[in-house]
Amino acid sequence: MIIYTGLKGDLPVQLHFAAVAEEAEVSAEHLRAEVTWLVEHEFLALDGHVGGVARVWVNPSVAFLPGTDPRVAAARHEFPYFDIAKGGMSADDPVIIHPYEREFWDAVYAAQQDLFESPPVFKRCPAHA
């Protein structure tokens, strides 16, 4: 969540491992391991890592800012689209992973354009306070 709340438009999040690890009350090594897992599973993409700071791109099917076109970020790193299966968590495979296809992301955007342009804001979420 700390990474996602650092989103600013269609820019990468500047992840300062030591500072974020301290904020999350975990070791920097633990944070690096979690980020590595998120990258391997295509929730995030890393673009450079120098001096304890990394540029992190977030898969827009996981998090995005209002007014940000998810197709641009998806194309940049060929992010897959994560979808919830019918039946949700009770389904045999609760998450469906659609490999990156430009046409699929175009269809997702067309079907959910209002959500991408003006998503609901959750007043109790600390990131939106």
Side-chain angles (χ1 to χ4, degrees):
M1 289 302 289
I2 293 170
I3 293 171
Y4 303 144
T5 57
L7 285 170
K8 292 182 177 121
D10 192 27
L11 300 172
V13 173
Q14 299 296 315
L15 178 60
H16 298 262
F17 279 96
V20 171
E22 183 177 323
E23 181 181 347
E25 299 179 353
V26 298
S27 69
E29 293 76 26
H30 178 82
L31 177 61
R32 281 189 185 88
E34 287 196 9
V35 168
T36 298
W37 186 91
L38 291 167
V39 169
E40 288 172 357
H41 291 87
E42 299 183 278
F43 290 93
L44 303 174
L46 288 182
D47 181 18
H49 183 237
V50 177
V53 179
R55 290 170 30 121
V56 179
W57 298 91
V58 178
N59 181 328
S61 70
V62 175
F64 60 90
L65 288 179
T68 303
D69 188 337
R71 299 170 295 180
V72 175
R76 182 181 294 117
H77 294 286
E78 296 188 347
F79 280 126
Y81 181 77
F82 300 119
D83 200 3
I84 299 170
K86 289 184 181 175
M89 294 305 290
S90 64
D92 290 339
D93 292 313
V95 178
I96 300 169
I97 302 172
H98 301 276
Y100 175 80
E101 289 183 22
R102 186 180 63 88
E103 295 80 11
F104 188 83
W105 274 98
D106 286 344
V108 166
Y109 182 78
Q112 301 179 34
Q113 188 171 359
D114 58 328
L115 177 65
F116 290 117
E117 291 178 359
S118 183
V121 175
F122 301 102
K123 293 180 182 180
R124 295 184 187 241
C125 175
H128 296 99

